[in-house]
Amino acid sequence: LARSSAASDVYKRQDQDDVVPFEELKIAADALVKSEFEVYTLTSKGTGHSIGEDALRAALQFIKNIL
């Protein structure tokens, strides 16, 4: 899980998503950063349009940190 005030600092081209182009992640994250949101991203290599086990662990840890 990566956090950055400059969303472009957190990308790794490691996806295989055939539904949403990977480039859309950067576009969305940059728009959120521009609107002053904290942005966290995680790209799971080879996962495709799904949620990998590493992403589930990261999401759980994120929730635990917030609560």
Side-chain angles (χ1 to χ4, degrees):
L1 190 62
R3 176 180 169 215
S4 178
S5 59
S8 60
D9 294 342
V10 298
Y11 301 106
K12 295 179 183 176
R13 182 175 283 276
Q14 297 181 349
D15 73 303
Q16 307 243 335
D17 193 330
D18 60 349
V19 177
V20 179
F22 183 72
E23 295 77 18
E24 295 296 323
L25 173 63
K26 182 175 182 340
I27 293 167
D30 287 346
L32 289 167
V33 167
K34 186 176 179 181
S35 296
E36 300 182 7
F37 286 91
E38 288 186 42
V39 175
Y40 298 83
T41 63
L42 176 72
T43 303
S44 302
K45 185 174 183 172
T47 302
H49 193 75
S50 186
I51 300 173
E53 193 172 318
D54 58 339
L56 292 173
R57 282 192 300 273
L60 180 59
Q61 188 59 52
F62 177 81
I63 291 167
K64 286 179 179 180
N65 290 343
I66 297 300
L67 299 178

Tab-separated table of all heavy atoms in Angstrom:
chain	number	residue	atom	x	y	z
A	1	LEU	N	0.861	-1.165	0.000
A	1	LEU	CA	0.000	0.000	0.000
A	1	LEU	C	0.898	1.215	0.000
A	1	LEU	O	1.800	1.311	0.800
A	1	LEU	CB	-0.886	-0.014	1.228
A	1	LEU	CG	-2.009	0.993	1.308
A	1	LEU	CD1	-3.007	0.772	0.180
A	1	LEU	CD2	-2.708	0.867	2.637
A	2	ALA	N	0.642	2.104	-0.912
A	2	ALA	CA	1.477	3.287	-1.020
A	2	ALA	C	0.639	4.531	-0.787
A	2	ALA	O	-0.506	4.603	-1.183
A	2	ALA	CB	2.108	3.338	-2.400
A	3	ARG	N	1.241	5.509	-0.153
A	3	ARG	CA	0.561	6.769	0.099
A	3	ARG	C	1.440	7.881	-0.443
A	3	ARG	O	2.637	7.862	-0.260
A	3	ARG	CB	0.349	6.973	1.591
A	3	ARG	CG	-0.262	8.304	1.913
A	3	ARG	CD	-0.438	8.436	3.401
A	3	ARG	NE	-0.777	9.808	3.689
A	3	ARG	CZ	-0.397	10.450	4.760
A	3	ARG	NH1	0.331	9.843	5.658
A	3	ARG	NH2	-0.741	11.688	4.947
A	4	SER	N	0.820	8.855	-1.064
A	4	SER	CA	1.599	9.947	-1.608
A	4	SER	C	0.741	11.173	-1.799
A	4	SER	O	-0.427	11.073	-2.117
A	4	SER	CB	2.186	9.534	-2.962
A	4	SER	OG	2.900	10.602	-3.529
A	5	SER	N	1.337	12.345	-1.615
A	5	SER	CA	0.626	13.571	-1.936
A	5	SER	C	0.711	13.842	-3.431
A	5	SER	O	-0.033	14.619	-3.977
A	5	SER	CB	1.201	14.743	-1.146
A	5	SER	OG	2.566	14.899	-1.452
A	6	ALA	N	1.629	13.201	-4.103
A	6	ALA	CA	1.735	13.277	-5.566
A	6	ALA	C	1.441	11.877	-6.085
A	6	ALA	O	2.277	10.997	-6.040
A	6	ALA	CB	3.131	13.722	-5.983
A	7	ALA	N	0.239	11.673	-6.545
A	7	ALA	CA	-0.221	10.326	-6.903
A	7	ALA	C	0.688	9.653	-7.913
A	7	ALA	O	0.830	8.446	-7.911
A	7	ALA	CB	-1.646	10.393	-7.433
A	8	SER	N	1.330	10.404	-8.777
A	8	SER	CA	2.168	9.787	-9.801
A	8	SER	C	3.371	9.064	-9.210
A	8	SER	O	4.017	8.283	-9.887
A	8	SER	CB	2.627	10.841	-10.810
A	8	SER	OG	3.376	11.839	-10.155
A	9	ASP	N	3.682	9.280	-7.937
A	9	ASP	CA	4.826	8.635	-7.304
A	9	ASP	C	4.563	7.186	-6.903
A	9	ASP	O	5.492	6.492	-6.525
A	9	ASP	CB	5.225	9.392	-6.033
A	9	ASP	CG	5.742	10.781	-6.333
A	9	ASP	OD1	6.115	11.049	-7.480
A	9	ASP	OD2	5.759	11.601	-5.400
A	10	VAL	N	3.328	6.705	-6.999
A	10	VAL	CA	2.997	5.426	-6.388
A	10	VAL	C	2.651	4.312	-7.378
A	10	VAL	O	2.183	3.272	-6.967
A	10	VAL	CB	1.848	5.579	-5.374
A	10	VAL	CG1	2.257	6.492	-4.245
A	10	VAL	CG2	0.596	6.078	-6.044
A	11	TYR	N	2.915	4.504	-8.637
A	11	TYR	CA	2.461	3.540	-9.631
A	11	TYR	C	3.533	2.561	-10.047
A	11	TYR	O	4.672	2.914	-10.198
A	11	TYR	CB	1.941	4.253	-10.873
A	11	TYR	CG	0.819	5.167	-10.520
A	11	TYR	CD1	1.002	6.526	-10.489
A	11	TYR	CD2	-0.406	4.652	-10.126
A	11	TYR	CE1	-0.011	7.359	-10.101
A	11	TYR	CE2	-1.419	5.484	-9.739
A	11	TYR	CZ	-1.216	6.834	-9.726
A	11	TYR	OH	-2.213	7.653	-9.327
A	12	LYS	N	3.099	1.345	-10.282
A	12	LYS	CA	3.928	0.313	-10.880
A	12	LYS	C	3.051	-0.359	-11.920
A	12	LYS	O	1.955	-0.801	-11.615
A	12	LYS	CB	4.379	-0.705	-9.829
A	12	LYS	CG	5.291	-0.116	-8.789
A	12	LYS	CD	5.668	-1.170	-7.776
A	12	LYS	CE	6.522	-0.543	-6.706
A	12	LYS	NZ	6.840	-1.475	-5.644
A	13	ARG	N	3.494	-0.445	-13.143
A	13	ARG	CA	2.693	-1.055	-14.195
A	13	ARG	C	2.785	-2.575	-14.039
A	13	ARG	O	3.672	-3.212	-14.572
A	13	ARG	CB	3.199	-0.608	-15.561
A	13	ARG	CG	2.396	-1.172	-16.699
A	13	ARG	CD	2.858	-0.597	-17.996
A	13	ARG	NE	2.368	0.740	-18.177
A	13	ARG	CZ	1.168	1.036	-18.661
A	13	ARG	NH1	0.330	0.086	-18.969
A	13	ARG	NH2	0.798	2.287	-18.821
A	14	GLN	N	1.829	-3.142	-13.306
A	14	GLN	CA	1.861	-4.571	-13.015
A	14	GLN	C	0.494	-5.218	-13.159
A	14	GLN	O	0.209	-6.201	-12.520
A	14	GLN	CB	2.352	-4.811	-11.587
A	14	GLN	CG	3.752	-4.346	-11.341
A	14	GLN	CD	4.168	-4.628	-9.922
A	14	GLN	OE1	3.368	-4.986	-9.077
A	14	GLN	NE2	5.432	-4.487	-9.645
A	15	ASP	N	-0.351	-4.676	-13.967
A	15	ASP	CA	-1.708	-5.198	-13.984
A	15	ASP	C	-2.002	-5.996	-15.254
A	15	ASP	O	-1.242	-5.977	-16.188
A	15	ASP	CB	-2.700	-4.058	-13.883
A	15	ASP	CG	-2.744	-3.297	-15.188
A	15	ASP	OD1	-1.689	-2.812	-15.629
A	15	ASP	OD2	-3.813	-3.222	-15.774
A	16	GLN	N	-3.118	-6.648	-15.232
A	16	GLN	CA	-3.608	-7.398	-16.377
A	16	GLN	C	-5.114	-7.203	-16.500
A	16	GLN	O	-5.817	-8.079	-16.972
A	16	GLN	CB	-3.295	-8.880	-16.196
A	16	GLN	CG	-1.851	-9.149	-15.907
A	16	GLN	CD	-1.200	-9.973	-16.968
A	16	GLN	OE1	-1.843	-10.708	-17.665
A	16	GLN	NE2	0.095	-9.839	-17.076
A	17	ASP	N	-5.630	-6.076	-16.048
A	17	ASP	CA	-7.068	-5.802	-16.028
A	17	ASP	C	-7.580	-5.607	-17.448
A	17	ASP	O	-7.130	-4.721	-18.162
A	17	ASP	CB	-7.342	-4.556	-15.185
A	17	ASP	CG	-8.805	-4.382	-14.840
A	17	ASP	OD1	-9.665	-4.812	-15.636
A	17	ASP	OD2	-9.092	-3.820	-13.783
A	18	ASP	N	-8.530	-6.422	-17.842
A	18	ASP	CA	-9.107	-6.303	-19.187
A	18	ASP	C	-10.421	-5.514	-19.176
A	18	ASP	O	-11.087	-5.399	-20.194
A	18	ASP	CB	-9.316	-7.680	-19.804
A	18	ASP	CG	-10.253	-8.563	-18.991
A	18	ASP	OD1	-10.578	-8.202	-17.847
A	18	ASP	OD2	-10.655	-9.619	-19.506
A	19	VAL	N	-10.796	-4.956	-18.013
A	19	VAL	CA	-12.032	-4.193	-17.894
A	19	VAL	C	-11.735	-2.692	-17.769
A	19	VAL	O	-12.323	-1.884	-18.478
A	19	VAL	CB	-12.875	-4.671	-16.687
A	19	VAL	CG1	-14.135	-3.831	-16.527
A	19	VAL	CG2	-13.225	-6.153	-16.847
A	20	VAL	N	-10.837	-2.337	-16.861
A	20	VAL	CA	-10.485	-0.935	-16.637
A	20	VAL	C	-9.007	-0.754	-16.983
A	20	VAL	O	-8.148	-1.391	-16.365
A	20	VAL	CB	-10.728	-0.521	-15.165
A	20	VAL	CG1	-10.338	0.923	-14.935
A	20	VAL	CG2	-12.172	-0.769	-14.771
A	21	PRO	N	-8.698	0.100	-17.946
A	21	PRO	CA	-7.290	0.319	-18.297
A	21	PRO	C	-6.491	0.817	-17.093
A	21	PRO	O	-6.971	1.653	-16.318
A	21	PRO	CB	-7.352	1.395	-19.383
A	21	PRO	CG	-8.731	1.308	-19.934
A	21	PRO	CD	-9.602	0.882	-18.780
A	22	PHE	N	-5.291	0.311	-16.933
A	22	PHE	CA	-4.443	0.675	-15.803
A	22	PHE	C	-4.233	2.186	-15.700
A	22	PHE	O	-4.155	2.739	-14.607
A	22	PHE	CB	-3.091	-0.036	-15.908
A	22	PHE	CG	-2.196	0.232	-14.731
A	22	PHE	CD1	-2.463	-0.328	-13.503
A	22	PHE	CD2	-1.098	1.055	-14.863
A	22	PHE	CE1	-1.646	-0.076	-12.405
A	22	PHE	CE2	-0.265	1.315	-13.776
A	22	PHE	CZ	-0.540	0.740	-12.554
A	23	GLU	N	-4.162	2.859	-16.812
A	23	GLU	CA	-3.936	4.302	-16.835
A	23	GLU	C	-5.022	5.063	-16.080
A	23	GLU	O	-4.798	6.174	-15.599
A	23	GLU	CB	-3.849	4.819	-18.273
A	23	GLU	CG	-2.665	4.299	-19.050
A	23	GLU	CD	-2.812	2.863	-19.539
A	23	GLU	OE1	-3.954	2.337	-19.597
A	23	GLU	OE2	-1.772	2.257	-19.853
A	24	GLU	N	-6.218	4.484	-15.980
A	24	GLU	CA	-7.316	5.137	-15.269
A	24	GLU	C	-7.026	5.276	-13.772
A	24	GLU	O	-7.541	6.186	-13.127
A	24	GLU	CB	-8.627	4.374	-15.479
A	24	GLU	CG	-9.101	4.385	-16.917
A	24	GLU	CD	-9.441	5.776	-17.440
A	24	GLU	OE1	-9.989	6.592	-16.666
A	24	GLU	OE2	-9.152	6.048	-18.617
A	25	LEU	N	-6.208	4.402	-13.220
A	25	LEU	CA	-5.822	4.517	-11.814
A	25	LEU	C	-5.103	5.836	-11.579
A	25	LEU	O	-5.425	6.580	-10.644
A	25	LEU	CB	-4.928	3.347	-11.397
A	25	LEU	CG	-4.312	3.440	-10.000
A	25	LEU	CD1	-5.376	3.441	-8.921
A	25	LEU	CD2	-3.324	2.313	-9.789
A	26	LYS	N	-4.149	6.152	-12.413
A	26	LYS	CA	-3.399	7.398	-12.276
A	26	LYS	C	-4.306	8.607	-12.471
A	26	LYS	O	-4.212	9.581	-11.709
A	26	LYS	CB	-2.241	7.456	-13.258
A	26	LYS	CG	-1.402	8.712	-13.124
A	26	LYS	CD	-0.204	8.684	-14.033
A	26	LYS	CE	0.697	9.888	-13.919
A	26	LYS	NZ	0.204	11.086	-13.354
A	27	ILE	N	-5.176	8.558	-13.441
A	27	ILE	CA	-6.098	9.673	-13.691
A	27	ILE	C	-6.985	9.919	-12.474
A	27	ILE	O	-7.145	11.058	-12.018
A	27	ILE	CB	-6.937	9.407	-14.958
A	27	ILE	CG1	-6.029	9.432	-16.191
A	27	ILE	CG2	-8.070	10.414	-15.094
A	27	ILE	CD1	-6.682	8.884	-17.451
A	28	ALA	N	-7.552	8.855	-11.930
A	28	ALA	CA	-8.429	8.985	-10.766
A	28	ALA	C	-7.655	9.467	-9.538
A	28	ALA	O	-8.103	10.365	-8.821
A	28	ALA	CB	-9.115	7.653	-10.472
A	29	ALA	N	-6.499	8.873	-9.298
A	29	ALA	CA	-5.705	9.262	-8.130
A	29	ALA	C	-5.250	10.709	-8.233
A	29	ALA	O	-5.299	11.456	-7.250
A	29	ALA	CB	-4.508	8.329	-7.984
A	30	ASP	N	-4.820	11.131	-9.406
A	30	ASP	CA	-4.391	12.528	-9.590
A	30	ASP	C	-5.543	13.495	-9.337
A	30	ASP	O	-5.355	14.546	-8.727
A	30	ASP	CB	-3.824	12.739	-10.987
A	30	ASP	CG	-2.442	12.123	-11.175
A	30	ASP	OD1	-1.802	11.765	-10.167
A	30	ASP	OD2	-2.014	12.012	-12.340
A	31	ALA	N	-6.735	13.135	-9.781
A	31	ALA	CA	-7.905	13.997	-9.556
A	31	ALA	C	-8.217	14.092	-8.066
A	31	ALA	O	-8.549	15.172	-7.560
A	31	ALA	CB	-9.111	13.466	-10.324
A	32	LEU	N	-8.102	12.990	-7.349
A	32	LEU	CA	-8.349	13.006	-5.911
A	32	LEU	C	-7.297	13.821	-5.169
A	32	LEU	O	-7.618	14.588	-4.259
A	32	LEU	CB	-8.413	11.581	-5.371
A	32	LEU	CG	-9.655	10.792	-5.782
A	32	LEU	CD1	-9.465	9.316	-5.475
A	32	LEU	CD2	-10.886	11.343	-5.091
A	33	VAL	N	-6.043	13.670	-5.555
A	33	VAL	CA	-4.971	14.449	-4.935
A	33	VAL	C	-5.198	15.938	-5.195
A	33	VAL	O	-5.059	16.765	-4.287
A	33	VAL	CB	-3.588	14.008	-5.468
A	33	VAL	CG1	-2.510	15.012	-5.091
A	33	VAL	CG2	-3.234	12.639	-4.923
A	34	LYS	N	-5.581	16.263	-6.414
A	34	LYS	CA	-5.861	17.658	-6.759
A	34	LYS	C	-6.991	18.224	-5.893
A	34	LYS	O	-7.010	19.414	-5.574
A	34	LYS	CB	-6.226	17.757	-8.238
A	34	LYS	CG	-6.399	19.168	-8.727
A	34	LYS	CD	-6.664	19.197	-10.221
A	34	LYS	CE	-6.860	20.638	-10.688
A	34	LYS	NZ	-7.143	20.698	-12.116
A	35	SER	N	-7.913	17.367	-5.493
A	35	SER	CA	-9.019	17.776	-4.627
A	35	SER	C	-8.663	17.645	-3.149
A	35	SER	O	-9.535	17.679	-2.285
A	35	SER	CB	-10.269	16.942	-4.941
A	35	SER	OG	-10.699	17.191	-6.247
A	36	GLU	N	-7.380	17.440	-2.872
A	36	GLU	CA	-6.817	17.399	-1.519
A	36	GLU	C	-7.211	16.176	-0.697
A	36	GLU	O	-7.286	16.224	0.526
A	36	GLU	CB	-7.126	18.704	-0.776
A	36	GLU	CG	-6.549	19.910	-1.492
A	36	GLU	CD	-6.795	21.221	-0.767
A	36	GLU	OE1	-7.298	21.200	0.378
A	36	GLU	OE2	-6.471	22.259	-1.359
A	37	PHE	N	-7.446	15.054	-1.371
A	37	PHE	CA	-7.659	13.785	-0.676
A	37	PHE	C	-6.322	13.076	-0.528
A	37	PHE	O	-5.446	13.211	-1.366
A	37	PHE	CB	-8.606	12.875	-1.463
A	37	PHE	CG	-10.041	13.300	-1.406
A	37	PHE	CD1	-10.563	14.146	-2.362
A	37	PHE	CD2	-10.867	12.841	-0.392
A	37	PHE	CE1	-11.888	14.540	-2.325
A	37	PHE	CE2	-12.196	13.230	-0.339
A	37	PHE	CZ	-12.702	14.074	-1.309
A	38	GLU	N	-6.188	12.298	0.549
A	38	GLU	CA	-5.045	11.402	0.652
A	38	GLU	C	-5.322	10.225	-0.262
A	38	GLU	O	-6.438	9.698	-0.274
A	38	GLU	CB	-4.863	10.904	2.080
A	38	GLU	CG	-4.349	11.954	3.020
A	38	GLU	CD	-4.058	11.374	4.393
A	38	GLU	OE1	-3.505	10.266	4.478
A	38	GLU	OE2	-4.411	12.045	5.369
A	39	VAL	N	-4.334	9.792	-0.993
A	39	VAL	CA	-4.524	8.721	-1.966
A	39	VAL	C	-3.621	7.547	-1.606
A	39	VAL	O	-2.427	7.713	-1.394
A	39	VAL	CB	-4.215	9.216	-3.400
A	39	VAL	CG1	-4.286	8.073	-4.389
A	39	VAL	CG2	-5.166	10.337	-3.783
A	40	TYR	N	-4.218	6.379	-1.539
A	40	TYR	CA	-3.497	5.129	-1.313
A	40	TYR	C	-3.762	4.227	-2.508
A	40	TYR	O	-4.908	4.081	-2.916
A	40	TYR	CB	-4.007	4.427	-0.053
A	40	TYR	CG	-3.800	5.213	1.209
A	40	TYR	CD1	-4.693	6.205	1.587
A	40	TYR	CD2	-2.703	4.952	2.014
A	40	TYR	CE1	-4.501	6.927	2.757
A	40	TYR	CE2	-2.507	5.673	3.192
A	40	TYR	CZ	-3.407	6.655	3.542
A	40	TYR	OH	-3.210	7.365	4.696
A	41	THR	N	-2.729	3.631	-3.044
A	41	THR	CA	-2.915	2.712	-4.163
A	41	THR	C	-2.124	1.434	-3.927
A	41	THR	O	-1.120	1.432	-3.209
A	41	THR	CB	-2.458	3.333	-5.501
A	41	THR	OG1	-1.064	3.597	-5.436
A	41	THR	CG2	-3.214	4.611	-5.817
A	42	LEU	N	-2.599	0.385	-4.533
A	42	LEU	CA	-1.901	-0.894	-4.505
A	42	LEU	C	-2.237	-1.595	-5.805
A	42	LEU	O	-3.408	-1.720	-6.155
A	42	LEU	CB	-2.362	-1.748	-3.325
A	42	LEU	CG	-1.759	-3.152	-3.256
A	42	LEU	CD1	-0.290	-3.075	-2.855
A	42	LEU	CD2	-2.532	-4.006	-2.291
A	43	THR	N	-1.224	-2.033	-6.505
A	43	THR	CA	-1.436	-2.771	-7.739
A	43	THR	C	-0.933	-4.195	-7.533
A	43	THR	O	0.231	-4.397	-7.194
A	43	THR	CB	-0.677	-2.111	-8.912
A	43	THR	OG1	-1.118	-0.767	-9.027
A	43	THR	CG2	-0.937	-2.846	-10.212
A	44	SER	N	-1.799	-5.154	-7.703
A	44	SER	CA	-1.442	-6.556	-7.524
A	44	SER	C	-1.076	-7.145	-8.883
A	44	SER	O	-1.919	-7.214	-9.774
A	44	SER	CB	-2.616	-7.324	-6.925
A	44	SER	OG	-2.995	-6.765	-5.693
A	45	LYS	N	0.154	-7.557	-9.024
A	45	LYS	CA	0.645	-8.072	-10.296
A	45	LYS	C	-0.166	-9.272	-10.767
A	45	LYS	O	-0.373	-10.227	-10.028
A	45	LYS	CB	2.114	-8.456	-10.177
A	45	LYS	CG	2.714	-8.883	-11.485
A	45	LYS	CD	4.194	-9.127	-11.373
A	45	LYS	CE	4.745	-9.481	-12.731
A	45	LYS	NZ	6.190	-9.554	-12.722
A	46	GLY	N	-0.655	-9.181	-12.005
A	46	GLY	CA	-1.332	-10.297	-12.643
A	46	GLY	C	-2.715	-10.616	-12.112
A	46	GLY	O	-3.281	-11.646	-12.450
A	47	THR	N	-3.292	-9.763	-11.291
A	47	THR	CA	-4.579	-10.065	-10.676
A	47	THR	C	-5.747	-9.867	-11.624
A	47	THR	O	-6.772	-10.512	-11.500
A	47	THR	CB	-4.782	-9.211	-9.408
A	47	THR	OG1	-3.708	-9.487	-8.518
A	47	THR	CG2	-6.076	-9.523	-8.728
A	48	GLY	N	-5.611	-8.978	-12.587
A	48	GLY	CA	-6.726	-8.701	-13.481
A	48	GLY	C	-7.777	-7.862	-12.786
A	48	GLY	O	-7.488	-7.123	-11.852
A	49	HIS	N	-9.010	-7.984	-13.229
A	49	HIS	CA	-10.099	-7.192	-12.652
A	49	HIS	C	-10.676	-7.940	-11.460
A	49	HIS	O	-11.751	-8.532	-11.516
A	49	HIS	CB	-11.172	-6.923	-13.710
A	49	HIS	CG	-12.149	-5.873	-13.294
A	49	HIS	ND1	-11.831	-4.540	-13.288
A	49	HIS	CD2	-13.419	-5.958	-12.864
A	49	HIS	CE1	-12.870	-3.847	-12.878
A	49	HIS	NE2	-13.849	-4.682	-12.596
A	50	SER	N	-9.918	-7.934	-10.389
A	50	SER	CA	-10.264	-8.677	-9.188
A	50	SER	C	-9.556	-8.042	-8.004
A	50	SER	O	-8.849	-7.052	-8.163
A	50	SER	CB	-9.834	-10.139	-9.347
A	50	SER	OG	-10.278	-10.897	-8.247
A	51	ILE	N	-9.723	-8.612	-6.839
A	51	ILE	CA	-9.026	-8.143	-5.646
A	51	ILE	C	-8.148	-9.280	-5.153
A	51	ILE	O	-8.648	-10.338	-4.769
A	51	ILE	CB	-10.014	-7.709	-4.546
A	51	ILE	CG1	-10.902	-6.574	-5.059
A	51	ILE	CG2	-9.260	-7.288	-3.294
A	51	ILE	CD1	-12.009	-6.191	-4.116
A	52	GLY	N	-6.854	-9.048	-5.176
A	52	GLY	CA	-5.909	-10.067	-4.754
A	52	GLY	C	-5.814	-10.171	-3.241
A	52	GLY	O	-6.252	-9.282	-2.495
A	53	GLU	N	-5.223	-11.256	-2.786
A	53	GLU	CA	-5.070	-11.483	-1.358
A	53	GLU	C	-4.243	-10.373	-0.711
A	53	GLU	O	-4.536	-9.932	0.408
A	53	GLU	CB	-4.412	-12.842	-1.111
A	53	GLU	CG	-4.495	-13.302	0.317
A	53	GLU	CD	-4.012	-14.727	0.495
A	53	GLU	OE1	-4.330	-15.585	-0.337
A	53	GLU	OE2	-3.312	-14.943	1.488
A	54	ASP	N	-3.229	-9.878	-1.417
A	54	ASP	CA	-2.426	-8.785	-0.873
A	54	ASP	C	-3.258	-7.523	-0.695
A	54	ASP	O	-3.097	-6.788	0.280
A	54	ASP	CB	-1.206	-8.507	-1.746
A	54	ASP	CG	-1.563	-8.157	-3.185
A	54	ASP	OD1	-2.673	-8.497	-3.649
A	54	ASP	OD2	-0.713	-7.555	-3.872
A	55	ALA	N	-4.183	-7.278	-1.611
A	55	ALA	CA	-5.052	-6.102	-1.505
A	55	ALA	C	-6.042	-6.248	-0.360
A	55	ALA	O	-6.351	-5.269	0.337
A	55	ALA	CB	-5.792	-5.870	-2.819
A	56	LEU	N	-6.533	-7.450	-0.144
A	56	LEU	CA	-7.437	-7.683	0.987
A	56	LEU	C	-6.724	-7.426	2.315
A	56	LEU	O	-7.277	-6.798	3.217
A	56	LEU	CB	-7.998	-9.102	0.943
A	56	LEU	CG	-8.960	-9.395	-0.212
A	56	LEU	CD1	-9.296	-10.876	-0.238
A	56	LEU	CD2	-10.211	-8.549	-0.104
A	57	ARG	N	-5.474	-7.897	2.412
A	57	ARG	CA	-4.696	-7.659	3.634
A	57	ARG	C	-4.455	-6.157	3.827
A	57	ARG	O	-4.570	-5.638	4.942
A	57	ARG	CB	-3.362	-8.403	3.575
A	57	ARG	CG	-3.474	-9.889	3.880
A	57	ARG	CD	-2.103	-10.513	4.102
A	57	ARG	NE	-1.227	-10.381	2.951
A	57	ARG	CZ	-1.178	-11.230	1.928
A	57	ARG	NH1	-1.957	-12.289	1.928
A	57	ARG	NH2	-0.350	-11.024	0.928
A	58	ALA	N	-4.113	-5.465	2.745
A	58	ALA	CA	-3.861	-4.024	2.830
A	58	ALA	C	-5.130	-3.269	3.225
A	58	ALA	O	-5.075	-2.337	4.030
A	58	ALA	CB	-3.322	-3.507	1.500
A	59	ALA	N	-6.261	-3.666	2.677
A	59	ALA	CA	-7.531	-3.008	3.011
A	59	ALA	C	-7.870	-3.228	4.480
A	59	ALA	O	-8.301	-2.286	5.174
A	59	ALA	CB	-8.652	-3.533	2.121
A	60	LEU	N	-7.678	-4.424	4.963
A	60	LEU	CA	-7.942	-4.720	6.380
A	60	LEU	C	-7.039	-3.890	7.271
A	60	LEU	O	-7.492	-3.304	8.258
A	60	LEU	CB	-7.766	-6.211	6.660
A	60	LEU	CG	-8.023	-6.651	8.096
A	60	LEU	CD1	-9.442	-6.306	8.537
A	60	LEU	CD2	-7.770	-8.149	8.222
A	61	GLN	N	-5.766	-3.798	6.923
A	61	GLN	CA	-4.832	-3.005	7.722
A	61	GLN	C	-5.213	-1.529	7.692
A	61	GLN	O	-5.167	-0.841	8.707
A	61	GLN	CB	-3.400	-3.185	7.215
A	61	GLN	CG	-2.370	-2.535	8.109
A	61	GLN	CD	-2.405	-3.089	9.526
A	61	GLN	OE1	-2.349	-4.300	9.753
A	61	GLN	NE2	-2.517	-2.209	10.507
A	62	PHE	N	-5.630	-1.037	6.542
A	62	PHE	CA	-6.074	0.352	6.399
A	62	PHE	C	-7.260	0.620	7.333
A	62	PHE	O	-7.277	1.613	8.061
A	62	PHE	CB	-6.461	0.628	4.947
A	62	PHE	CG	-7.007	2.003	4.720
A	62	PHE	CD1	-6.155	3.083	4.584
A	62	PHE	CD2	-8.376	2.218	4.654
A	62	PHE	CE1	-6.666	4.374	4.375
A	62	PHE	CE2	-8.898	3.487	4.438
A	62	PHE	CZ	-8.027	4.570	4.315
A	63	ILE	N	-8.229	-0.279	7.332
A	63	ILE	CA	-9.423	-0.119	8.188
A	63	ILE	C	-9.011	-0.146	9.659
A	63	ILE	O	-9.470	0.672	10.451
A	63	ILE	CB	-10.472	-1.189	7.872
A	63	ILE	CG1	-11.056	-0.932	6.466
A	63	ILE	CG2	-11.566	-1.221	8.926
A	63	ILE	CD1	-11.863	-2.082	5.926
A	64	LYS	N	-8.135	-1.075	10.025
A	64	LYS	CA	-7.681	-1.142	11.420
A	64	LYS	C	-6.984	0.147	11.836
A	64	LYS	O	-7.153	0.620	12.949
A	64	LYS	CB	-6.733	-2.312	11.606
A	64	LYS	CG	-7.411	-3.656	11.618
A	64	LYS	CD	-6.395	-4.770	11.785
A	64	LYS	CE	-7.045	-6.127	11.814
A	64	LYS	NZ	-6.050	-7.204	11.975
A	65	ASN	N	-6.202	0.736	10.930
A	65	ASN	CA	-5.493	1.976	11.242
A	65	ASN	C	-6.456	3.142	11.419
A	65	ASN	O	-6.212	4.031	12.231
A	65	ASN	CB	-4.477	2.305	10.147
A	65	ASN	CG	-3.319	1.357	10.132
A	65	ASN	OD1	-3.056	0.636	11.085
A	65	ASN	ND2	-2.608	1.341	9.025
A	66	ILE	N	-7.533	3.152	10.657
A	66	ILE	CA	-8.497	4.243	10.714
A	66	ILE	C	-9.382	4.131	11.963
A	66	ILE	O	-9.699	5.124	12.608
A	66	ILE	CB	-9.381	4.275	9.441
A	66	ILE	CG1	-8.520	4.542	8.213
A	66	ILE	CG2	-10.504	5.297	9.554
A	66	ILE	CD1	-7.768	5.840	8.218
A	67	LEU	N	-9.794	2.917	12.276
A	67	LEU	CA	-10.682	2.711	13.426
A	67	LEU	C	-9.847	2.679	14.678
A	67	LEU	O	-10.127	2.920	15.726
A	67	LEU	CB	-11.474	1.411	13.283
A	67	LEU	CG	-12.380	1.347	12.063
A	67	LEU	CD1	-13.079	-0.007	12.000
A	67	LEU	CD2	-13.431	2.449	12.118
